[in-house]
Amino acid sequence: MSTPSMTLFHNPASPFVRKVMVLLHETGQTDRVALQLSQLSPVSPDPVLNQDNPLGKIPALRLADGNVLYDSRVILDYLDQQHVGNPLIPAEGTARWRRLTLAALADGIMDAAVMVRYELALRAPEKHWPEWLDAQREKIRRALSVLEADAIAELTCHFDVAAISVACALGYLDLRHPDLHWRDAQPQLAAWYFEVSQRPSMLATVPKV
Ligand code: BEZ
């Protein structure tokens, strides 16, 4: 095992961190990264992280030269250029924009799902904003239905940036929002997720929280 040359600000529950971890596993780079646990929320920041990422968000990746990369999309792009196997982000052409757009759709699911989680877990029930919560859940439902209708074949053909991002978004829904029962309206997505969740990279990054 080599000595890690990079440090990843990490929390196992974060779906954005999980994307980075899955890519590290898929590309054989886990030994290159030391994990620094960051316990944070919007109202309890991590002062150590804030020194490296003024936005106070994870993941952030400190490189060997001291430079720090954020956010997860930038980190994935960087790490994908550090291995010799097939790229997980297409370098150019239509495939690049399509796969990155699917990844952005998955990131949008994560954004909405994390926001709902914070609202429900951190704010007193009497301060919850039901219309806002419903609007976030609608975003998630719309995005899932587009994946079900338009993207199953594309997700099935490569476990790349698009598939990794969707898999991590679905994993987070299972973790924090089982009440959404996302499988009910997305049976093909559920079958695809069942398969990919058996990959070693996904099994190794299941959040134990
Ligand atoms: C969570 O516990 O759900 C969580 C933790 C860190 C980042 C995002 C979500």
Side-chain angles (χ1 to χ4, degrees), residues 11 13-15 40 58 114 117-118 172 176:
N11 184 302
S14 163
L40 78 177
I58 51 173
V114 170
R117 164 71 182 169
Y118 285 150
Y172 189 74
R176 296 298 189 208

Side-chain angles (χ1 to χ4, degrees), residues 26-122:
E26 291 287 337
T27 58
Q29 299 188 77
T30 49
D31 289 354
R32 303 185 60 212
V33 175
L35 303 183
Q36 161 126 4
L37 182 64
S38 190
Q39 300 280 15
L40 78 177
S41 81
V43 288
S44 59
D46 172 350
V48 179
L49 170 65
N50 285 352
Q51 286 173 8
D52 274 352
N53 179 358
L55 300 173
K57 291 172 113 176
I58 51 173
L61 183 70
R62 194 190 304 127
L63 307 181
D65 64 5
N67 281 312
V68 180
L69 303 183
Y70 46 84
D71 58 5
S72 64
R73 298 177 211 204
V74 177
I75 296 170
L76 290 184
D77 202 348
Y78 175 80
L79 292 173
D80 198 36
Q81 294 186 23
Q82 306 301 312
H83 66 99
V84 292
N86 289 333
L88 298 186
I89 303 174
E92 59 193 8
T94 316
R96 174 174 173 79
W97 307 119
R98 176 61 180 161
R99 306 309 284 192
L100 287 176
T101 299
L102 286 173
L105 190 61
D107 284 0
I109 294 173
M110 294 179 204
D111 277 331
V114 170
M115 291 293 145
V116 170
R117 164 71 182 169
Y118 285 150
E119 175 83 354
L120 295 179
L122 298 179

Side-chain angles (χ1 to χ4, degrees), residues 12 14-15 17-27 30 110 159-175 182-183 189 192-208:
S14 163
V17 169
R18 192 176 183 192
K19 287 194 301 179
V20 174
M21 293 304 299
V22 170
L23 184 134
L24 287 170
H25 280 273
E26 291 287 337
T27 58
T30 49
M110 294 179 204
F159 198 67
D160 67 350
V161 66
I164 290 171
S165 302
V166 172
C168 292
L170 297 176
Y172 189 74
L173 295 183
D174 281 350
L175 178 71
W182 65 266
R183 289 173 179 78
L189 198 57
W192 171 80
Y193 181 65
F194 178 80
E195 291 293 327
V196 297
S197 58
Q198 307 305 314
R199 294 178 76 91
S201 62
M202 290 294 291
L203 292 172
T205 57
V206 173
K208 296 175 189 67

